[in-house]
Amino acid sequence: MTESWVNSAERIGADLHLELPGPGGRRAALTRALREAVRSGRLAPGTRLPPYRSLAADLGMARNTVADAYAELVAEGWLTARQGSGTRLADRAEPLRHAVRTPVKAPPRARGPRHELRQGTPDASAFPRTAWSACYRRALQAAPAEAFGPGDPAGRRELREALTEYLARTRGVRTEPDRIVVCSGFAHALRLLFGQGSGGVLRGPLGVEAYGLDFHRGLLTTAGVRTVPLPLDEDGARVDALGRERAVLLTPAHQFPTGGPLHPERRAAVIDWARARGTVVLEDDYDGEFRYDRKPVGALQGLDPERVIHLGSVSKSLSPALRLGWMVLPERYVGPVLAAKGEREGWASVLDQLALAECIVSGSYDRHVRRMRQRYRHRRDRLVAALAEHAPHVQVTGIAAGLHAVLRLPPGTERSTVEAAAWQGIALDGLAAFRHPEAAAVGDGLVVGYAAAAEHAYPAALEALCGVLPPG
């Protein structure tokens, strides 16, 4: 880049749209147009105007004509001109009140909950802004020119290579970059896999756990997929209840929301079922990084990479705002999924993909996950301690991993407890909200998230929670 090019670029200035009709010379038309732009409110006081050379070139005028028009408006008080600050609309150049529409005030925003104990959301205040911005900057500087063109629907190679190593190291996933497809999260993965009607990569009926996110079931229903609930017990989903389903969706590392991993015998059994039926298991590894006991639970995909689609994202580990996830696919599904996604990346930002790859390769991602694992474990321990002191009759389950716990309540008390919590400004969910419409209930309970609350607000949230629990 030459110095002369830089200097000429600096003189270009900002765009300014002006209408120049009417009688008189070009200078008179320009001054009228600028006055009208101020009167109408289209140009606000303090707006910086383009240099007269730049505006002259845009309007096809002589430079002196624009310079004289600027000088006239400065003399009249419409504009100000200072060395180093350029030419601006004067602060007292107020628009005519009758020429602008009075803005309609938005209705006041509803007050949020006083105490945030909903599941599924990490602590937003803990997002690693410094580390992420550093990774983003390094990734941006190192990005090849082609990265700024149309995106590969499979995702950036840099991210897929980083995920191959990371998932193998931390989750026991066996794959290679060409079998990973980047998406914008778990919901996006479901849409790609099941599409609409008969046009998806997979088809129903789909076996699902009796308790899970209603949002995901809604996506499947919209896609025309019938879901068949599998009963749950202390060992996870009863996969022996699988029959003629064409696929099954499980949360084997930590059943959502009741907690607990899928028993090893059932892990082997569901793989055997998929092999015998020639079908596939969808593994939702929604919080695989956050395990607090010393019993590692690897990904189900490691048992048979050709019979398991492994699904993950950064929604729990970093932030749902990033909209980054991945599918680790058996070879036979890579082509159909890419065809469903389209010829170009239309969902996940390429620059965010590069930043995440840099975050993983540099070790920043590991450090953040370990730091948050310690924080969330401490919060879990504080929840358990508070309940032991103030509500010892309430059993707490599902606490070996994840970002939430299930509080088992006396029969018939869930609804009234959820209502009492709402009255006290506590945002949480009852266990019934996650039950499949065709599944049998497993008892009353609360699903309490201990990650979303800000650190300073967490003690008050625990105190409020204990205050609404039913007596023993």
Side-chain angles (χ1 to χ4, degrees):
M1 184 179 296
T2 65
E3 183 178 356
S4 62
W5 191 94
V6 172
N7 290 338
S8 64
E10 290 176 349
R11 291 196 299 268
I12 290 174
D15 286 341
L16 178 62
H17 173 74
L18 292 173
E19 298 285 351
L20 301 178
R26 302 278 279 171
R27 172 179 162 182
L30 177 57
T31 54
R32 281 199 305 272
L34 286 169
R35 291 190 194 102
E36 181 57 31
V38 175
R39 290 192 184 101
S40 67
R42 187 166 66 82
L43 294 181
T47 299
R48 182 170 182 168
L49 299 181
Y52 71 88
R53 294 182 181 88
S54 173
L55 187 59
D58 289 345
L59 299 177
M61 290 183 173
R63 293 180 181 178
N64 288 343
T65 300
V66 178
D68 290 346
Y70 275 13
E72 179 179 345
L73 292 172
V74 168
E76 293 176 359
W78 292 94
L79 305 180
T80 62
R82 294 189 180 91
Q83 185 70 30
S85 181
T87 304
R88 298 177 181 270
L89 266 66
D91 289 339
R92 61 187 179 84
E94 294 291 337
L96 294 179
R97 296 303 176 189
H98 63 79
V100 296
R101 296 176 59 187
T102 302
V104 178
K105 290 186 177 180
R109 295 180 61 183
R111 291 183 59 189
R114 290 197 296 274
H115 307 293
E116 181 56 79
L117 293 176
R118 281 173 289 203
Q119 58 74 36
T121 304
D123 182 356
S125 67
F127 183 81
R129 300 179 188 224
T130 301
W132 180 259
S133 61
C135 290
Y136 202 100
R137 183 171 57 253
R138 291 196 299 269
L140 190 63
Q141 292 171 344
E146 52 88 14
F148 299 93
D152 183 345
R156 287 298 302 180
R157 182 82 185 184
E158 297 91 333
L159 178 55
R160 290 185 284 123
E161 289 178 348
L163 286 171
T164 298
E165 183 277 331
Y166 176 79
L167 294 173
R169 173 168 53 85
T170 64
R171 304 295 300 125
V173 169
R174 296 188 288 150
T175 191
E176 56 192 35
D178 289 340
R179 294 195 184 192
I180 295 178
V181 174
V182 175
C183 57
S184 66
F186 183 79
H188 184 211
L190 284 185
R191 292 186 176 101
L192 289 173
L193 290 170
F194 290 96
Q196 291 286 339
S198 60
V201 176
L202 301 176
R203 299 180 65 184
L206 174 69
V208 297
E209 295 162 332
Y211 280 71
L213 274 180
D214 182 63
F215 173 64
H216 293 159
R217 288 195 297 267
L219 290 179
L220 293 165
T221 300
T222 300
V225 177
R226 183 169 71 89
T227 56
V228 181
L230 302 176
L232 294 170
D233 59 24
E234 63 276 6
D235 292 327
R238 290 277 308 277
V239 297
D240 58 322
L242 285 166
R244 301 182 64 84
E245 292 82 4
R246 293 180 176 176
V248 61
L249 171 61
L250 301 173
T251 52
H254 185 229
Q255 201 288 318
F256 180 85
T258 62
L262 187 64
H263 191 277
E265 291 183 2
R266 295 186 182 179
R267 292 163 69 92
V270 76
I271 295 296
D272 290 341
W273 170 83
R275 289 170 178 167
R277 294 279 301 162
T279 185
V280 68
V281 180
L282 278 63
E283 176 181 26
D284 180 3
D285 200 39
Y286 71 98
D287 62 1
E289 296 96 342
F290 297 114
R291 186 149 205 96
Y292 310 121
D293 59 22
R294 296 186 178 274
K295 298 178 181 179
V297 180
L300 183 66
Q301 189 266 3
L303 295 180
D304 192 338
E306 293 303 321
R307 292 297 169 192
V308 178
I309 297 176
H310 180 85
L311 307 170
S313 78
V314 298
S315 293
K316 305 296 187 295
S317 57
L318 282 173
S319 168
L322 286 179
R323 309 311 309 147
L324 282 177
W326 51 85
M327 294 180 276
V328 181
L329 297 162
E331 185 176 10
R332 66 188 182 279
Y333 291 122
V334 174
V337 167
L338 290 178
K341 197 174 183 187
E343 295 183 1
R344 298 183 178 183
E345 174 59 70
W347 298 84
S349 163
V350 167
L351 297 182
D352 284 345
Q353 292 181 51
L354 292 172
L356 178 58
E358 171 63 23
C359 200
I360 294 172
V361 171
S362 68
S364 294
Y365 187 70
D366 279 88
R367 289 190 290 273
H368 173 72
V369 168
R370 291 177 67 84
R371 182 167 58 251
M372 298 313 298
R373 188 185 298 131
Q374 294 176 353
R375 177 179 297 190
Y376 294 149
R377 180 173 184 167
H378 180 56
R379 290 195 181 186
R380 179 207 64 174
D381 292 345
R382 291 164 69 183
L383 169 64
V384 173
L387 293 171
E389 179 180 357
H390 300 289
H393 57 286
V394 174
Q395 180 188 7
V396 189
T397 63
I399 59 175
L403 306 182
H404 72 272
V406 175
L407 279 55
R408 301 289 181 171
L409 300 179
T413 62
E414 177 181 319
R415 181 173 180 178
S416 60
T417 303
V418 171
E419 292 175 350
W423 275 106
Q424 295 300 318
I426 307 171
L428 49 70
D429 298 296
L431 190 57
F434 302 94
R435 182 171 64 86
H436 191 287
E438 301 173 20
V442 296
D444 287 24
L446 300 178
V447 180
V448 176
Y450 45 78
E455 191 69 22
H456 70 276
Y458 190 54
L462 291 182
E463 182 179 356
L465 171 67
C466 292
V468 300
L469 294 175

